Amino acid sequence: MSDPVVSRATRTSRIAVVVALLALIVLAAAPWWAGRADMRLMSEIFLYLSLASLWNLMAGYAGLVSVGQQAFVGFGGYMLFALTVFGGLHPIAAILLAGLLASALSVPIASLIFRLKGAYFAIGTWVVAEVFRLSFAQISALGGGSGSSLPVGIVRSLASSRSGREALTYWLALGAAAVVILSVYLFLRSQRGLALTAIRDSEVAASGLGINIWRTKLEVYVVTSALTAIIGGLIFLQKLRISPDAAFSINDWTAFVIFIVVIGGIGTLEGPIIGTIIFFALREFLADFGTIYLMVLGLVAIIVMLKAPKGVWGLVRDRFDLELFPLSYRVRLDQDRKKT
């Protein structure tokens, strides 16, 4: 009788790693083979993928269903402008510092909104985002309600040529997506990740096992807030202009992100990737149809929630037993392992 073997990696996950590395190399070389419009579109895809992965970590694993993450997207964007214009920092340094400031700011915010549960928590996060929007709209030095543009000198500090700046912002977006996905994966593989999974499955049982639920959720909220602010800084580094309505748009930075996660598969690492691909495919195909585009997005979301509550990837995973990111443990006989 063969001894059982417990492992996480599978043949599918090993193949996925090789494909992902090859894809990363090809995408990193995009400035030499892709056009300007293509690079801009791919940068947007990478940034939305990052936002979706972070929101999925909060809602899909920690149970923190926020509809106010645009607060930290806008905060990161405005800190980029403030720290470069008034602080004299290099844009990349300003974006990283914006992440640290967002993490510090998220602690008192969490101490307030964590008192709310369920729908009240979601509404609370939206109220916080609105407070952010109204507050930054009052800062005349940053353009007030009409916003402002990034000065030419700061833009040129990134690179001397336009092509160089576009390549740099593209690589920053690609690197951000890779770092976010890898960070979420490693976090879920750690002991903190196991605690988070236990909380997702049952808070009562997790509490009985000695897991500090409040502290674990706080850690997730602080980390996602910091990374979301960094992504926000990268978004407006590409746009080169910011305004309160654009920075704190609930449609652009929360509604679309929730759509991506829901149709892809909430509570899975693969879900945001699949959802991002579907979202941008629909957007590019229906971009010329005006409001019909939004109606189709809503219809797709309803159909997926009715027919595949776990999302597209959840449907694929349950049917074919696939897992690209090996998080769950699998038990099989040693002889089976030798055959594979």
Side-chain angles (χ1 to χ4, degrees), residues 144-163:
S146 59
S148 63
S149 299
L150 205 61
V152 176
I154 295 175
V155 176
R156 289 180 176 174
S157 68
L158 291 170
S160 57
S161 64
R162 181 177 178 179
S163 60

Side-chain angles (χ1 to χ4, degrees), residues 52-106:
S53 298
L54 292 171
W55 190 88
N56 181 54
L57 176 63
M58 280 209 323
Y61 289 93
L64 300 172
V65 182
S66 169
V67 294
Q69 285 306 97
Q70 67 272 16
F72 294 102
V73 173
F75 179 82
Y78 267 103
M79 286 300 99
L80 163 67
F81 278 65
L83 293 172
T84 53
V85 174
F86 304 114
L89 294 181
H90 188 274
I92 297 178
I95 290 173
L96 295 176
L97 181 55
L100 292 176
L101 294 175
S103 65
L105 185 61
S106 66

Side-chain angles (χ1 to χ4, degrees), residues 20-304:
L21 291 176
L22 292 175
L24 191 61
I25 293 172
V26 172
L27 290 172
W32 289 279
W33 57 262
R36 180 174 296 168
D38 295 329
M39 287 176 55
R40 194 168 187 83
L41 175 61
M42 287 190 290
S43 297
E44 190 177 3
I45 291 173
F46 299 147
L47 294 173
Y48 264 97
L49 173 58
S50 301
L51 291 177
S53 298
L54 292 171
W55 190 88
N56 181 54
L57 176 63
M58 280 209 323
Y61 289 93
L64 300 172
V65 182
S66 169
V67 294
Q69 285 306 97
Q70 67 272 16
F72 294 102
V73 173
F75 179 82
Y78 267 103
M79 286 300 99
L80 163 67
F81 278 65
L83 293 172
T84 53
V85 174
F86 304 114
L89 294 181
H90 188 274
I92 297 178
I95 290 173
L96 295 176
L97 181 55
L100 292 176
L101 294 175
S103 65
L105 185 61
S106 66
V107 175
I109 293 175
S111 65
L112 175 64
I113 62 175
F114 276 21
R115 301 173 185 270
L116 307 174
K117 302 296 182 182
Y120 296 104
F121 174 84
I123 295 173
T125 58
W126 173 75
V127 170
V128 169
E130 284 299 293
V131 171
F132 273 51
R133 183 181 68 83
L134 295 173
S135 299
F136 280 101
Q138 304 304 314
I139 304 176
S140 58
L142 292 174
S146 59
S148 63
S149 299
L150 205 61
V152 176
I154 295 175
V155 176
R156 289 180 176 174
S157 68
L158 291 170
S160 57
S161 64
R162 181 177 178 179
S163 60
R165 291 191 295 270
E166 290 176 344
L168 178 59
T169 54
Y170 170 82
W171 283 325
L172 288 173
L174 174 62
V179 168
V180 166
I181 293 174
L182 182 61
S183 299
V184 173
Y185 171 68
L186 293 177
F187 180 82
L188 293 176
R189 293 262 300 196
S190 66
Q191 290 185 348
R192 293 294 186 191
L194 292 175
L196 196 61
T197 303
I199 293 173
R200 179 192 63 179
D201 294 339
S202 174
E203 287 194 10
V204 175
S207 179
L209 293 173
I211 297 174
N212 190 322
I213 296 176
W214 193 92
R215 187 179 66 184
T216 302
K217 288 187 174 183
L218 176 64
E219 291 174 353
V220 172
Y221 187 77
V222 170
V223 170
T224 54
S225 298
L227 292 176
T228 299
I230 291 174
I231 301 302
L234 292 176
I235 289 172
F236 289 97
L237 181 62
Q238 289 192 336
K239 293 181 179 295
L240 302 180
R241 179 170 177 78
I242 195 169
S243 67
D245 291 339
F248 301 100
S249 171
I250 189 171
N251 283 339
D252 291 340
W253 315 129
T254 298
F256 289 156
V257 167
I258 294 175
F259 173 84
I260 288 171
V261 176
V262 168
I263 64 172
I266 191 170
T268 65
L269 282 175
E270 299 87 351
I273 299 174
I274 301 299
T276 303
I277 294 173
I278 295 174
F279 171 74
F280 277 92
L282 289 172
R283 198 189 74 172
E284 293 301 305
F285 180 73
L286 300 171
D288 297 330
F289 292 91
T291 55
I292 296 178
Y293 155 63
L294 297 176
M295 294 172 63
V296 172
L297 289 184
L299 181 62
V300 170
I302 292 173
I303 292 175
V304 170

